[in-house]
Amino acid sequence: MKTINTLGPKQTDSYKAAQYLAEREEVDIRLHTSFDDIYSDLSNLKGEYMLVPVAFRSAQSNDNWVDNNYKYVDQLAIVDTFFLPTMPMILVRNLNQDNQKVVLHPSTSAFLYNFNDKVIHDYVSSKPEALKKFLHGDYSYAIVSKEWFESAINQGIDGSQFEVIKRFTPTMIWCLYKIIGK
């Protein structure tokens, strides 16, 4: 059985993409807190697989899919690519916060093009993490998965303080690597 390493938690598009692969064959999905964690542990994951979106950008470094595809060419072999729609996303505003800060995954920052160049970007490793920090009240804006935002509202969070500004429904290309080690 293949072990597929990807970004968690289960609310991520990465997990949903891994589930798509699990529909085709039996796999063990191993979730990590960031892709950086997976890349830094490749030597211990030899023989396993890594599933990463081509839009990957690190919240912790300047790493991204393009550079890492070449940087780790001796440790990773592409074995499959496919595309899937992402979960719908929203740019949401907290009407009770005016600090001009946005919390988001770096891969979604392009959605802020022509929005507000004075907004301060705080990057996190996943959209679920962005949602958690946004709902804590420390940010004026966030880009999050619509489904999980609505789920939080349905679980008793006061939705009257939030305004959905824009919706996004992109398609993502996914790359499945076999971790071959050095």
Side-chain angles (χ1 to χ4, degrees):
M1 175 177 7
K2 285 182 183 176
T3 298
I4 297 177
N5 296 276
T6 197
L7 180 67
K10 289 184 176 181
Q11 294 87 355
T12 62
D13 284 300
S14 297
Y15 179 72
K16 296 220 184 271
Q19 284 185 308
Y20 168 79
L21 293 175
E23 291 171 5
R24 299 180 357 199
E25 66 179 295
E26 191 174 343
V27 299
D28 175 33
I29 301 170
R30 220 176 268 157
L31 300 176
H32 299 261
T33 56
S34 72
F35 283 111
D36 295 282
D37 290 347
I38 302 170
Y39 281 110
S40 68
D41 200 29
L42 290 177
S43 61
N44 293 321
L45 301 174
K46 187 175 179 178
E48 296 182 8
Y49 294 80
M50 177 182 184
L51 180 64
V52 61
V54 298
F56 162 68
R57 288 191 211 174
S58 173
Q60 302 160 356
S61 67
N62 289 325
D63 286 354
N64 59 68
W65 179 83
V66 173
D67 291 342
N68 284 354
N69 187 57
Y70 293 136
K71 181 178 176 181
Y72 297 102
V73 70
D74 294 335
Q75 297 176 64
L76 297 170
I78 297 173
V79 294
D80 194 5
T81 60
F82 58 95
F83 63 93
L84 294 171
T86 65
M87 291 182 279
M89 292 176 248
I90 54 175
L91 170 61
V92 63
R93 178 178 174 209
N94 181 342
L95 301 171
N96 296 333
Q97 179 59 266
D98 193 27
N99 62 9
Q100 294 302 301
K101 289 172 65 178
V102 60
V103 60
L104 68 163
H105 187 283
S107 296
T108 64
S109 61
F111 292 133
L112 294 177
Y113 181 74
N114 284 337
F115 172 65
N116 177 346
D117 22 350
K118 293 182 172 81
V119 173
I120 300 162
H121 298 200
D122 279 353
Y123 295 120
V124 293
S125 294
S126 68
K127 291 186 302 259
E129 186 179 349
L131 177 61
K132 181 180 176 184
K133 288 187 174 219
F134 177 73
L135 293 176
H136 191 262
D138 298 333
Y139 294 90
S140 298
Y141 305 97
I143 294 179
V144 297
S145 295
K146 178 178 176 268
E147 173 184 352
W148 300 111
F149 176 76
E150 289 174 350
S151 176
I153 299 302
N154 291 336
Q155 292 178 14
I157 291 181
D158 178 15
S160 66
Q161 69 189 32
F162 304 116
E163 170 188 29
V164 174
I165 296 171
K166 199 165 184 183
R167 299 177 194 312
F168 313 99
T169 55
T171 297
M172 183 54 57
I173 299 169
W174 294 89
C175 191
L176 181 66
Y177 291 99
K178 180 158 188 179
I179 302 169
I180 56 176
K182 281 189 172 182

